Amino acid sequence: PGTSGGHTETACCWNGASTTNRQYRSLTQPFTTQFMNFLGRNIPRDDIHPGTELPEANLSELSLEGVDLSGANLAGVSFHHTDLSNADLSGATLTDAKLADATLHNVDLSEADLLGATLETADLTGAQLDNACLMGADLTDATLNDATGNGATLTDAKVTRVTAQDASLRGADLH
């Protein structure tokens, strides 16, 4: 990453193409008007909606607070160090997504498919994971305080050193 005119520059990849978002916003500013520039095309926030297709995108180190990506195809997306607090990802496909070190406070992941997702050191405080599929997910060192995962499937998930104070996992499959 470099700096240009007070704005942070980062590489962005989508379907094998690379570009930078330096002309759009500093990564320290909240996600407001512009989303990213994929394949030379601006994607305004209004175009990010339930059911969006962004497989394999690199959305690392962004602030995506409150975004509605319910039902979206986010398979393999990298959200490393991304703030998704208060986002709606219910019913989203996040298979093999990389959410390491992500901030997911009060995120709605109910009925989301997180098969094989990496959530190492992710902070899921207050997250809703009801009926979510976390089979084979890596939750090493994740924080799930006050989270709900009622009916969630955690078969073969790595749950080493997870903090889950006041969390609810009623009816969850933990085998």
Side-chain angles (χ1 to χ4, degrees):
T3 304
S4 174
H7 291 279
T8 304
E9 180 178 319
T10 30
C12 172
C13 300
W14 187 48
N15 289 344
S18 292
T19 186
T20 62
N21 70 345
R22 68 178 161 197
Q23 66 270 39
Y24 300 104
R25 66 176 189 82
S26 166
L27 293 176
T28 60
Q29 295 174 348
F31 177 67
T32 54
T33 315
Q34 293 287 336
F35 181 69
M36 290 293 286
N37 180 328
F38 291 118
L39 303 175
R41 184 176 138 231
N42 291 338
I43 301 177
R45 184 177 176 116
D46 291 344
D47 287 350
I48 303 305
H49 51 78
T52 296
E53 299 273 334
L54 293 172
E56 303 295 327
N58 182 355
L59 302 179
S60 296
E61 300 183 13
L62 296 175
S63 176
L64 300 176
E65 292 179 70
V67 70
D68 184 358
L69 289 169
S70 56
N73 179 2
L74 304 168
V77 170
S78 178
F79 289 106
H80 187 72
H81 284 290
T82 295
D83 187 351
L84 286 157
S85 296
N86 301 305
D88 185 352
L89 298 170
S90 60
T93 300
L94 290 149
T95 54
D96 298 316
K98 294 140 194 84
L99 293 142
D101 300 309
T103 302
L104 300 154
H105 294 178
N106 303 309
V107 69
D108 186 353
L109 286 162
S110 56
E111 299 185 14
D113 184 357
L114 291 138
L115 178 74
T118 303
L119 293 143
E120 290 179 271
T121 64
D123 187 348
L124 292 127
T125 299
Q128 298 169 25
L129 293 154
D130 296 333
N131 300 309
C133 175
L134 291 139
M135 291 176 60
D138 186 352
L139 291 149
T140 303
D141 294 314
T143 302
L144 292 163
N145 295 336
D146 298 310
T148 61
N150 300 322
T153 304
L154 290 119
T155 306
D156 297 324
K158 286 179 71 176
V159 289
T160 308
R161 296 182 304 274
V162 169
T163 303
Q165 188 173 29
D166 297 322
S168 174
L169 295 171
R170 285 187 204 102
D173 184 354
L174 304 174
H175 298 290

